[in-house]
């Protein structure tokens, strides 16, 4: 889908500047591309520059980035003209700009685009320039594969998350962020007591288990279009692995908060445990636990992966919090 959108957008651009064809040509010397990180706080700003250009009238660039640690926010072209809205699908990003009218192409060194990302993880995150298409004023294309990579340096999330001090899950949250399967928000909060949606938990689980991303195009749910782009590949992976299923009406309901019974079942599936259907829990509210979930709840509780909420209650219908999800996923990681 991304490739289709990309070529359609680039075709529109070519039509826009087809009216302008001054007599300039590319030099034989190949352009040189660089990616450079600028100083920032939580936001990561990356500048893409091209040098040794000759008569560049339009460009299209394709980049990949580590979506477990970065979320794309915006791009600003360094060349005056018409720019498409950046196309983002999973970890792939496409930006393009063209001049309009009877104007000479760009020569020498030009900032093609300044990219802004939100920091989600810690350590470093790779950003790669993989494909470049340049078009001169005679509409002659030049396709390049520069393979330029930048390891963007990320700040310590422990110093940035301002609402976890004193929380019972502080250490677990900081470890989960460091491992890259969970992240904070752009306002510097983690919101440990916020509820976790089905899409969000699927993404966290797949990242925690380091499962191979699936293809969003394979999702057959009636509401597949409602699954956020940042979680679609992870949801597909969870479905393909048999960890996650939809509802009887063929919907997924990505924004619906996930409850503790559902999480227990997903845990046993993720760990590939052979569930004993006769197994019972010892929680005081076991009569409220759905029959389809009780064996999984019992196994997960015995393994120490999932815990009650005090007074020996499991609270099966309660929605899981972000702090609970992180703690549970770390327990799974430690079991594997």
């Amino acid at each position: 889908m991304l490739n289709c959108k990309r070529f359609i957008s680039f075709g529109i651009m070519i039509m826009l500047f087809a009216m302008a064809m001054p007599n300039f040509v590319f030099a034989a010397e190949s352009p040189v591309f660089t990616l450079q990180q600028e100083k920032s706080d939580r936001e990561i700003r990356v500048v893409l520059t091209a040098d040794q250009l000759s008569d560049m009238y339009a460009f299209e660039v394709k980049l990949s980035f580590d979506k477990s640690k970065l979320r794309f926010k915006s791009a600003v072209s360094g060349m005056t003209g018409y720019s498409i809205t950046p196309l983002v699908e999973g970890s792939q990003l496409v930006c393009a700009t063209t001049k309009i009218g009877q104007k000479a192409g760009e020569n020498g060194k030009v900032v093609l685009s300044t990219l802004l990302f939100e920091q989600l993880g810690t350590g470093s995150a790779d950003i790669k320039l993989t494909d470049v298409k340049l078009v001169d004023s005679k509409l002659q294309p030049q396709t390049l594969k520069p393979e330029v990579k930048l390891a963007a340096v990320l700040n310590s999330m422990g110093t940035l998350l301002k609402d976890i001090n004193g929380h019972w899950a502080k250490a677990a949250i900081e470890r989960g962020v460091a491992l890259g399967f969970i992240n904070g928000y752009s306002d510097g909060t983690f919101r440990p007591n916020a509820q976790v949606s089905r899409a969000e938990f699927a993404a966290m689980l797949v990242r925690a288990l380091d499962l191979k991303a699936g293809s969003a195009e394979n999702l057959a749910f009636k509401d597949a279009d409602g699954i956020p782009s940042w979680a679609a590949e992870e949801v597909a992976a969870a479905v393909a692995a048999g960890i996650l299923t939809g509802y009887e009406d063929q919907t997924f309901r990505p924004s619906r908060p996930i409850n503790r019974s559902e999480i227990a079942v997903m845990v046993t599936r993720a760990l590939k445990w052979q569930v004993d259907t006769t197994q019972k829990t010892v929680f005081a509210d076991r009569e409220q636990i759905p029959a389809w979930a009780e064996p999984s709840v019992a196994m997960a509780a015995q393994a120490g992966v999932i815990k009650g909420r005090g007074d020996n209650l499991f609270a099966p219908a309660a929605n899981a919090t972000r702090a609970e999800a992180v703690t549970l996923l770390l327990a799974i990681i430690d079991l594997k």
Side-chain angles (χ1 to χ4, degrees):
M1 182 64 70
L2 177 60
N3 288 336
C4 179
K5 291 179 181 176
R6 195 177 93 187
F7 289 122
I8 290 173
S9 298
F10 204 70
I12 293 172
M13 291 173 59
I14 289 177
M15 287 192 294
L16 283 172
F17 65 75
M19 65 185 74
M21 296 172 57
N23 293 322
F24 297 91
V25 295
F26 282 116
E29 194 171 26
S30 296
V32 176
F33 301 93
T34 58
L35 287 167
Q36 184 174 4
Q37 180 180 357
E38 292 187 341
K39 291 183 179 179
S40 58
D41 186 9
R42 172 174 291 275
E43 293 180 333
I44 304 301
R45 183 174 285 101
V46 176
V47 179
L48 169 59
T49 303
D51 202 354
Q52 300 178 184
L53 293 171
S54 180
D55 188 32
M56 182 190 71
Y57 198 81
F59 70 84
E60 176 190 83
V61 294
K62 180 177 180 180
L63 304 99
S64 65
F65 61 93
D66 185 347
K67 70 172 188 173
S68 69
K69 295 184 177 182
L70 297 172
R71 178 179 295 139
F72 176 73
K73 295 187 69 175
S74 63
V76 177
S77 178
M79 188 173 79
T80 302
Y82 169 78
S83 298
I84 66 167
T85 300
L87 303 175
V88 184
E89 185 169 299
S91 61
Q92 303 296 314
L93 165 66
V94 175
C95 301
T97 299
T98 178
K99 288 177 174 289
I100 300 175
Q102 298 286 334
K103 297 177 182 177
E106 298 289 336
N107 298 287
K109 189 174 183 178
V110 175
V111 172
L112 299 184
S113 189
T114 299
L115 311 169
L116 191 63
F117 297 89
E118 177 187 345
Q119 177 180 334
L120 303 179
T122 59
S124 65
D126 286 346
I127 301 172
K128 300 177 183 178
L129 174 65
T130 57
D131 298 88
V132 176
K133 180 180 286 187
L134 304 177
V135 179
D136 68 11
S137 56
K138 299 175 86 82
L139 304 187
Q140 297 300 310
Q142 181 182 20
T143 301
L144 303 166
K145 299 245 180 219
E147 295 296 334
V148 175
K149 182 173 76 171
L150 167 69
V153 178
L154 309 181
N155 295 313
S156 170
M157 295 294 283
T159 62
L160 294 176
L161 298 174
K162 57 190 180 185
D163 61 344
I164 64 172
N165 287 330
H167 195 277
W168 64 265
K170 179 178 184 293
I173 291 168
E174 291 180 337
R175 183 184 171 200
V177 170
L179 291 174
F181 67 78
I182 186 67
N183 49 70
Y185 293 90
S186 58
D187 63 357
T189 63
F190 182 79
R191 306 174 198 174
N193 299 321
Q195 296 178 350
V196 180
S197 71
R198 283 168 54 81
E200 185 179 11
F201 187 77
M204 291 165 59
L205 178 60
V206 168
R207 292 169 187 164
L209 298 179
D210 198 23
L211 297 181
K212 184 178 179 181
S215 173
E217 295 180 356
N218 293 334
L219 292 172
F221 300 116
K222 291 180 180 178
D223 56 351
D225 289 343
I227 299 174
S229 59
W230 53 264
E233 292 181 356
E234 283 81 2
V235 170
V239 171
I243 298 172
L244 192 59
T245 60
Y247 292 91
E248 292 181 355
D249 62 358
Q250 304 303 311
T251 61
F252 177 71
R253 307 177 196 177
S255 61
R256 178 173 177 169
I258 194 166
N259 65 43
R260 288 166 54 81
S261 293
E262 291 174 317
I263 281 183
V265 173
M266 290 177 65
V267 166
T268 57
R269 290 173 179 170
L271 292 173
K272 299 181 180 179
W273 286 343
Q274 291 294 101
V275 178
D276 180 357
T277 57
T278 65
Q279 202 158 3
K280 305 296 182 183
T281 71
V282 294
F283 290 110
D285 57 350
R286 62 167 296 239
E287 292 184 356
Q288 299 176 27
I289 301 174
W292 53 264
E294 186 173 14
S296 295
V297 171
M299 291 187 70
Q302 289 174 13
V305 174
I306 198 165
K307 302 181 185 300
R309 283 191 167 180
D311 296 326
N312 195 34
L313 298 175
F314 179 68
N319 298 320
T321 67
R322 283 168 57 80
E324 287 177 327
V326 172
T327 304
L328 180 148
L329 291 171
L330 288 174
I332 292 176
I333 290 172
D334 292 338
L335 274 179
K336 289 182 71 65

